[in-house]
Structures are given as C-alpha cells and as structure tokens.
Amino acid sequence: MKLLRFGDVGQEKPGILDAQGNVRDLSGHIKDINAEFLSSEMFARVQDMDPASLPLVEGDPRIAEPVSGVGKFICVGLNYADHARESGMEVPPEPVLFMKATSAITGPFDQVQLPPGSQKSDWEVELGVVIGREAKYVSEADAMDYVAGFCVVNDLSEREYQLERQGQWVKGKGCDTFAPIGPYLVTPEDAGDVENAGIWLELNGERVQDGTTATMVYKVPFLVHYISQFMSLQPGDIISTGTPPGVGLGMTPPKFLKEGDVMRLGIDNLGVQQQSVIRYAK
C-alpha cells in the first residue's frame, strides 16, 4: 500500500495510490495520515480496502509529505562506509544520532529554499522509516513490528552551519524546507527489500549519488532497536537512516547547491522526488 497526502499547504487530504498509479481520496474514511491513524485499527482496515472503490482525485494536485504532525525526526550519521570515507571520517562503532527540526519537513516536490547567505548547502538521499506504534526498549528481533512503512527523504545539510559553526550537527540540518519527504508512505509488504534497494540522486540531470541500501552499516531493525534504548519512538516519528556517497561535500572540489538547481531522487519501490532550489526571500 502506498499512502500519500495531497492538496495545498494547510488543506491536505489523505489518499492512496491505486494499481494504475492514480490518487484515490481517503478523506471519507480517515481524517489524516498521522500518529492517531497509524496506531489505530483503521490502519489495517485501509490496507484491506480496494483503492478502486474510492473517489478518483482529478487533476494534478500538490503532493504533500505523507505523514502529518511528525513528532520526532531522528537521523543516523555516517551509516554508509563509503560516505564516511568521502567525508574524511571513520565508521562509528555505534550509530551517530542527531535530530532534524520537524519544521524543516516539506512535500517531495516543493521548492527548497537556501538560507540567506548559505554557500554550502548539500543534498543527501536517504531511506526513511516511519514508526507505527510506541517502541520503547524493543529488541532487534521484534523491531520491524513497530514499523508502519518507509519513505524517501532528502536530508539537506548546510555544511558550514553543520561543521564550522561549533556544536552539534543540528545547526546545518534544521533549516526550513531541508527535509522533503515522500511522495509515499509505503507499507512493508509493498516496499520490497529495503535493505537491498537502489538509492540515487540526480543534480541537474547528472547522477551524483548511485548506491544501494545494502551498504548501510547499521540496518533498519538494529536502528529501531538501538534508538529505542535512548528514547521512546512514537507513531509518526521518522528515522532517516543515512546517505550513500556522492554528496557535494565529498567532491573534488566540493560542489554545493545554488539557485536554479534541480534535484531528482528516489529509492526502488518507494517513489521519486524532485525539488528546484531557490534563495529565501521575505
């Protein structure tokens, strides 16, 4: 099942993709795709519905982030050995965790705004894990029971803010529009083998990231287990699991985003995003 949200900002409705790739309206059955829905019996009922029985959404509506009201956005750093190497860092003996501001979340086709004065904004395609029920001190063996589904994440990063401005990485990660998510929340039975999936990003038509989730150091079940030892994971929380090599910081010379750039990115079975880059303007 591929769930999504559609509509203008502030007026989004829940939807589901049918077998032909058409958007169907779920708003007659649920209010939104959020923590309440993901942790309810209705989540299972929707999976049993025939999407073709739902109203067809006409036209070409905006596709929003597939989960509303995300409580926590937890990211894993340096989780691909080859990306750690291009960043000049060692693979950590335990996962590196940091938080991304939920105010950075935006739709998968919305514009990305560079902060005023930014010179080192960078791209990072990542596999996102959406939590479906409270996970607290869970075992690795049981971890997938707490996962509602998966999504594509662009974990944009302002490298000067992240690495040169003192303190933790969060400064470079939480800028507004720096977390496009979606287009879908894909349930595990339709996501395929997320630990052996192609993951890629193109900048202005050139493929700069072209990897596989098989090279993740710490896999999804371990990450859910590990993070739940430090904080409870709540329905609707998102874990972004790290990026493969090919980011601008690792190029020689480094290459960063500028106004007018276009990013296109995707993961096998989870869909494709695209964002154009603009400068922030009041």
Side-chain angles (χ1 to χ4, degrees):
M1 178 173 69
K2 292 183 177 179
L3 294 168
L4 58 98
R5 299 171 66 247
F6 64 94
D8 294 339
V9 175
Q11 300 178 6
E12 296 92 344
K13 293 182 178 181
I16 189 171
L17 208 67
D18 68 19
Q20 288 72 45
N22 301 309
V23 177
R24 299 284 179 161
D25 191 343
L26 266 174
S27 63
H29 298 272
I30 64 173
K31 292 181 179 180
D32 207 347
I33 299 169
N34 54 17
E36 181 181 3
F37 165 67
L38 293 174
S39 60
S40 71
E41 293 181 359
M42 195 63 198
F43 183 46
R45 291 181 196 170
V46 167
Q47 293 182 66
D48 291 334
M49 289 181 182
D50 177 8
S53 68
L54 299 169
L56 179 67
V57 177
E58 303 286 354
D60 187 23
R62 168 184 174 264
I63 302 300
E65 59 274 21
V67 182
S68 174
V70 174
K72 292 193 292 297
F73 197 146
I74 306 141
C75 300
V76 182
L78 304 174
N79 196 28
Y80 287 71
D82 34 12
H83 171 59
R85 188 162 50 250
E86 74 170 351
S87 301
M89 301 179 188
E90 298 291 330
V91 174
E94 293 186 41
V96 171
L97 304 181
F98 60 92
M99 307 292 279
K100 199 170 179 80
T102 55
S103 54
I105 294 173
T106 188
F109 304 103
D110 293 343
Q111 292 177 318
V112 165
Q113 299 179 348
L114 300 180
S118 169
Q119 299 296 320
K120 296 183 179 180
S121 290
D122 204 348
W123 55 86
E124 294 188 24
V125 58
E126 305 200 1
L127 170 68
V129 181
V130 182
I131 300 299
R133 61 191 182 99
E134 184 181 50
K136 188 173 184 178
Y137 307 122
V138 302
S139 69
E140 185 175 356
D142 294 336
M144 293 305 295
D145 294 340
Y146 298 85
V147 173
F150 303 92
C151 60
V152 181
V153 174
N154 191 352
D155 174 25
L156 288 134
S157 309
E158 214 300 342
R159 301 300 189 188
E160 179 192 356
Y161 300 178
Q162 177 189 0
L163 301 173
E164 302 174 32
R165 298 285 294 273
Q166 303 302 314
Q168 299 177 340
W169 290 359
V170 69
K171 290 179 184 176
K173 298 287 188 172
C175 305
D176 288 354
T177 76
F178 268 32
I181 299 174
Y184 316 118
L185 187 169
V186 184
T187 51
E189 66 272 12
D190 287 333
D193 185 358
V194 295
E195 293 186 348
N196 190 27
I199 179 170
W200 54 271
L201 183 145
E202 295 171 351
L203 180 66
N204 301 324
E206 176 188 358
R207 186 155 294 199
V208 291
Q209 290 188 275
D210 194 6
T212 170
T213 57
T215 63
M216 284 198 300
V217 178
Y218 300 107
K219 310 299 185 182
V220 171
F222 179 80
L223 290 172
V224 174
H225 149 73
Y226 181 84
I227 295 169
S228 78
Q229 310 306 305
F230 299 95
M231 67 193 82
S232 63
L233 294 169
Q234 302 297 325
D237 286 354
I238 293 176
I239 301 170
S240 200
T241 59
T243 197
V247 299
L249 178 67
M251 295 182 175
T252 306
K255 184 176 184 177
F256 298 112
L257 292 169
K258 62 184 186 304
E259 187 173 13
D261 282 344
V262 176
M263 293 171 286
R264 185 171 179 269
L265 56 148
I267 300 175
D268 291 350
N269 299 315
L270 303 186
V272 174
Q273 303 183 358
Q274 181 168 305
Q275 301 100 32
S276 58
V277 178
I278 62 173
R279 282 278 174 189
Y280 174 78
K282 289 185 179 180

